Amino acid sequence: MPPAAAPPGGPGAAQRAASWGVVVPAGGRGSRLGGADKPALLLGGRSLLERLLDGLPAGVPAALVGPRRELALAVDRPLLWCREEPPGGGPAAALAAGAAALAASGTPGPDVVVVLPGDAPHAAGAVPALLAALRTSPRARAAVALDAGGRRQVLVAAHRATALAARVAELGDREGPRGLAGLAAARLLPGGEELVEVPVPEELLADVDSPGDLERLEQREPLRRADGPEPA
């Protein structure tokens, strides 16, 4: 597949030049959706996962943590398939596995690891603000999205890669043989001034946990197309 141009309206040159990659936890199944494979659900004829990935600039590597899927992407990028240990081990284990895959994919690996959920098709629109927060906060080790209610959306975040690797190692040593299995992704976030909270519009954070969530996204989709391409 020939390289595709980056979507118009994406982040500025400084953000494009930054060394970053994306981890997408994409192994969960929706209990409120009858056990459906959530990232594979269709929105406007394309899967949620395809829409998420195509919202990112061309060339940005993505580590997909979950079963391998056939994807029809409009924007070319390196895709790294991996699994958390054990498979189904939860979001912290998935983020750790994806970050390790990104680190091993190049020399050096990315400076920043962005995590986005596989069932939030427009979450790539939050990336510019997360990266900007890290750039302007030298002491911060991570930036996390805040929803309209002031709640942290821990699977929409940007981590400095070295700090994330250190935290993964620390938790792994502390938890012993179970590793990160069963731990929430919030356990990988720093505290205090080392964490920057970034307000993000609700429409970018919308994910699918129930049939009603998918219906709301479908109703919104014609309006999004009318507004033009979303920022990456």
Side-chain angles (χ1 to χ4, degrees), residues 87-178:
L95 178 49
L102 287 174
S105 68
T107 305
D111 297 326
V112 174
V113 174
V114 174
V115 57
L116 300 172
D119 64 342
H122 307 307
V127 173
L130 295 171
L131 295 180
L134 285 185
R135 278 204 319 277
T136 57
S137 305
R139 297 181 59 184
R141 299 173 64 180
V144 64
L146 285 187
D147 65 18
R151 295 177 293 271
R152 292 175 181 173
Q153 300 299 306
V154 297
L155 288 182
V156 181
H159 299 254
R160 298 198 193 278
T162 53
L164 178 60
R167 181 61 175 160
V168 166
E170 176 189 352
L171 279 177
D173 290 343
R174 183 185 304 171
E175 297 296 325
R178 72 191 294 268

Side-chain angles (χ1 to χ4, degrees), residues 32 64 75 89 147:
R32 285 184 284 173
L64 308 179
V75 180
D147 65 18

